Amino acid sequence: MIVAQQKPLEEIARLINDCQKVLLVGCAGCVTVCLAGGEKETEFLASALRIKRQLEGNPLETVTFTCTRQCDPEYLLPLDNLIGDVDAVVSLACGVGVQYIAERYPHKWVVPALDTKFAGGSLEQGVWAERCGLCGNCILHLTGGICPVIRCSKSILNGPCGGSQDGKCEIARDVDCAWQLIYDRMKALGKLERLMEIMPPKDWSTARDGGPRRAVREDVIIDA
Amino acid sequence: MPEREVKTESKLERLLARGEFVVTAEIGPPKHASADGIRHHARMLKDYVDATNITDCQTAIVRLSSIAAAVHILSCGVEPIVQMTCRDRNRIAMQSDLLGAYSLGARNLLCLSGDHQKFGNHPTAKNVYDIDSIQLINLMRRMRDEKKFFCGEEIKEHEPRFFIGAVANPFADPFEFRVMRLEKKINAGAEFIQTQCIYDMERFERFMEMVRERGLHERAYILAGVTPLKSWRAAKYLQTSVSGMIVPDEIVERLKKAEDPKKEGVEICIEQIRYIREHIPGVHGVHIMAIAWEEVVPEIVQRAGLHPRPKVE
């Protein structure tokens, strides 16, 4: 999933300083699962912002709605009826959702309430970790199912570098060395010799380096 | 050992090929735009080393460029080993800098991953890591031997002909894979290897045993890295705060008990060099990294019995 975390309340409040009425839009997708921007967080943020503004003697009116997903245009339709008189929209989706709302409502000011962090999963209740670098050309079959592109701090494809010690990365004692994990797994699977092959430089044109990306499935496109 | 084939104009390569036990040192460029210090250190090292590394923004701190510094030491009669990390340049900038460095007279290149920018003075920087150190080694070898840019396009004339170096860290983990990774570097095209500073001699001996088992010492020249310590605090810092370093307690203790810790640090370093040279087969030289203490190198070289340095035509 896309993992996001809410910006500090102070920062969100600053983004809508000059507004009297705002629409807060949650998302029932990834950000609900990672407890950052679902229905509950949306209601909670709306109350917190109202209380803060009340205390400051500058009351704020809020409207809330949680979309099934903010990254599909059809799920934004219900917002058409809510958006008319608000001064701004606060999106509690990932960066995709914020942009979808901005695109649909060209004359509305839209601000993000979350920082979109990474593509990852949960480790335990309340802890998430990055797992995919979205490079557009998966190599997990070469590295024992552990991604060096995003889990190695240097994206080294022929690791580990000289900073790997006691299974940890040089950048911090609580960061696992991806190449130690790869080594351990390849060894356990009896495939250590495969790591002797020099992995060639990666073609980064399938990643963000190639410019904004699109995915097209011709067979499911509905002709107008 | 029979004389090995020489592929470049590097003086270091010629000395190694004829079986000399070589000495390299290291100069860290300054955090300003004057080369006076670099030239001063170069003149001081000139008769005591065969070549000198120029670090490339080590520990991710902005410093005078390694290629520019190489030109300064060349003008003082010292052969540079230009270090190049993968942290700050993509494959376009690297190839461009390789052409530029060669045109300026550099003949040795050392490829490294580079310390993560988190440790430096610009921790908010974006890192590059377009290619890794093994891929960089391979890139350089292809430019030289196949006369090709990375993209496959031919280098029609004047290809850069560097003597290609890499690093090895016997003290990082996983230990058993360290020699395999060294072999990967040699397979990629590395011709000389400089190791991380050795303090844990027993581990280095085990590493060299595995190197010899795989015959790697016959495919690349191995230079053992040593670093004289100035104080027990410096030793403790390396022991506890630098990833991929092992400093045994006895070294910390020895420095702690010493009346003159700097003198003791030099003694330890000289003992290490003598031990490596006399007792560990397959080592072809030493790399003395006297970090911010370049002026001690002549004494170490002299007292380790490595002076005068051999001449090259």
Side-chain angles (χ1 to χ4, degrees):
Chain A
M1 74 183 117
I2 300 283
V3 177
Q5 281 185 318
Q6 220 171 87
K7 286 174 178 289
L9 181 67
E10 289 292 333
E11 188 182 336
I12 301 169
R14 236 184 351 259
L15 300 176
I16 52 164
N17 239 348
D18 54 350
C19 304
Q20 304 308 311
K21 184 175 179 181
V22 295
L23 168 63
L24 291 101
V25 187
C27 178
C30 313
V31 295
T32 294
V33 185
C34 67
L35 310 176
E39 192 173 6
K40 189 176 135 200
E41 291 79 23
T42 304
E43 294 303 331
F44 194 85
L45 177 63
S47 323
L49 287 168
R50 283 197 311 272
I51 292 166
K52 184 172 173 9
R53 290 280 290 264
Q54 189 72 40
L55 290 170
E56 289 165 1
N58 179 19
L60 175 75
E61 198 181 331
T62 62
V63 184
T64 57
F65 185 81
T66 297
C67 299
T68 303
R69 281 196 298 277
Q70 283 189 34
C71 54
D72 265 322
E74 54 267 39
Y75 291 117
L76 298 182
L77 290 176
L79 300 181
D80 290 359
N81 302 322
L82 304 168
I83 205 151
D85 63 341
V86 301
D87 303 316
V89 182
V90 178
S91 168
L92 286 89
C94 68
V96 180
V98 180
Q99 294 182 62
Y100 265 67
I101 294 179
E103 263 172 60
R104 183 168 180 83
Y105 305 106
H107 303 294
K108 280 293 168 196
W109 187 241
V110 184
V111 301
L114 308 187
D115 290 318
T116 307
K117 298 280 187 179
F118 49 77
S122 61
L123 294 182
E124 56 183 285
Q125 176 71 14
V127 182
W128 296 268
E130 186 161 28
R131 285 291 183 269
C132 177
L134 310 172
C135 71
N137 182 10
C138 194
I139 54 164
L140 284 168
H141 53 292
L142 300 172
T143 56
I146 292 151
C147 178
V149 173
I150 203 66
R151 298 179 69 183
C152 165
S153 305
K154 301 175 185 173
S155 295
I156 286 175
L157 297 184
N158 297 282
C161 79
S164 174
Q165 202 162 35
D166 302 324
K168 300 297 173 188
C169 171
E170 69 180 23
I171 69 157
R173 299 273 179 205
D174 61 351
V175 176
D176 289 330
C177 167
W179 275 100
Q180 174 79 52
L181 298 175
I182 292 168
Y183 172 83
D184 290 344
R185 204 167 140 76
M186 293 299 254
K187 193 176 175 185
L189 293 171
K191 297 182 191 297
L192 208 48
E193 277 306 313
R194 290 200 188 183
L195 292 185
M196 282 308 291
E197 279 172 39
I198 295 171
M199 223 190 288
K202 200 165 160 59
D203 172 359
W204 294 110
S205 69
T206 59
R208 66 146 291 283
D209 308 273
R213 293 170 280 178
R214 270 180 170 224
V216 179
R217 272 276 306 272
E218 298 281 359
D219 57 322
V220 296
I221 292 174
I222 300 164
D223 292 326
Chain B
M1 198 197 312
E3 205 157 296
R4 296 192 205 177
E5 185 198 353
V6 172
K7 290 183 177 168
T8 74
E9 293 170 359
S10 157
K11 183 180 124 191
L12 180 67
E13 184 184 17
R14 273 176 285 163
L15 287 174
L16 283 163
R18 71 181 201 213
E20 301 283 357
F21 189 85
V22 303
V23 178
T24 57
E26 183 171 292
I27 293 177
K31 290 159 82 172
H32 54 63
S34 163
D36 291 351
I38 300 170
R39 290 204 206 93
H40 167 73
H41 284 137
R43 283 191 287 267
M44 200 181 63
L45 294 173
K46 187 175 179 296
D47 296 327
Y48 295 89
V49 301
D50 303 309
T52 295
N53 287 36
I54 302 287
T55 50
D56 179 15
C57 297
Q58 73 270 29
T59 62
I61 288 170
V62 176
R63 290 170 185 277
L64 190 145
S65 112
S66 58
I67 295 169
V71 177
H72 291 301
I73 76 162
L74 260 174
S75 73
C76 301
V78 175
E79 178 162 290
I81 299 168
V82 173
Q83 296 196 181
M84 183 177 274
T85 74
C86 299
R87 181 191 57 228
D88 309 322
R89 299 170 181 85
N90 68 7
R91 62 191 78 173
I92 301 170
M94 280 175 169
Q95 292 175 96
S96 165
D97 279 352
L98 290 174
L99 298 180
Y102 193 80
S103 76
L104 289 164
R107 293 295 179 262
N108 307 295
L109 234 127
L110 187 80
C111 311
L112 315 94
S113 304
D115 295 316
H116 195 269
Q117 75 278 4
K118 191 194 162 174
F119 300 103
N121 57 359
H122 291 76
T124 58
K126 185 168 176 159
N127 63 33
V128 182
Y129 293 114
D130 175 22
I131 61 176
D132 66 26
S133 58
I134 290 180
Q135 294 161 348
L136 173 58
I137 292 163
N138 204 240
L139 172 76
M140 284 176 47
R141 196 195 58 72
R142 281 188 57 188
M143 285 177 92
R144 186 188 70 193
D145 297 346
E146 294 170 31
K147 300 185 176 58
K148 275 181 181 158
F149 288 107
F150 172 74
C151 59
E153 194 183 310
E154 190 194 347
I155 304 174
K156 294 204 175 102
E157 52 184 347
H158 305 304
E159 75 282 2
R161 303 195 59 80
F162 287 107
F163 184 38
I164 305 168
V167 295
N169 186 356
F171 311 104
D173 292 319
F175 180 62
E176 319 78 64
F177 193 64
R178 286 293 143 191
V179 175
M180 290 174 76
R181 188 156 186 263
L182 172 60
E183 185 166 345
K184 271 181 94 164
K185 288 190 172 185
I186 294 170
N187 292 345
E191 293 155 326
F192 73 96
I193 306 294
Q194 292 176 321
T195 77
Q196 175 66 287
C197 337
I198 300 158
Y199 295 106
D200 184 344
M201 199 57 78
E202 192 217 342
R203 178 148 159 160
F204 181 62
E205 289 193 273
R206 272 190 289 142
F207 176 81
M208 282 305 298
E209 245 173 65
M210 294 194 279
V211 164
R212 292 192 301 270
E213 269 165 31
R214 287 181 173 251
L216 302 182
H217 63 304
E218 284 161 0
R219 297 179 55 207
Y221 306 103
I222 317 270
L223 314 190
V226 291
T227 292
L229 293 162
K230 280 180 176 174
S231 67
W232 72 267
R233 279 190 186 81
K236 197 79 195 170
Y237 174 78
L238 292 181
Q239 188 184 50
T240 55
S241 306
V242 179
S243 241
M245 288 282 277
I246 298 178
V247 182
D249 286 331
E250 66 217 49
I251 288 190
V252 182
E253 286 308 310
R254 216 177 127 179
L255 288 163
K256 218 179 225 180
K257 283 186 196 137
E259 249 174 60
D260 183 346
K262 282 188 177 178
K263 202 168 153 239
E264 192 70 5
V266 169
E267 290 301 330
I268 294 172
C269 189
I270 292 166
E271 283 169 27
Q272 287 168 332
I273 295 173
R274 285 184 182 280
Y275 187 87
I276 289 165
R277 195 180 174 194
E278 286 158 23
H279 299 284
I280 308 183
V283 177
H284 305 89
V286 280
H287 177 48
I288 307 169
M289 292 167 273
I291 301 155
W293 199 14
E294 286 91 345
E295 56 277 13
V296 79
V297 173
E299 183 193 341
I300 292 174
V301 173
Q302 201 145 31
R303 291 184 47 211
L306 296 168
H307 190 261
R309 300 307 311 144
K311 294 275 176 264
V312 182
E313 286 318 307

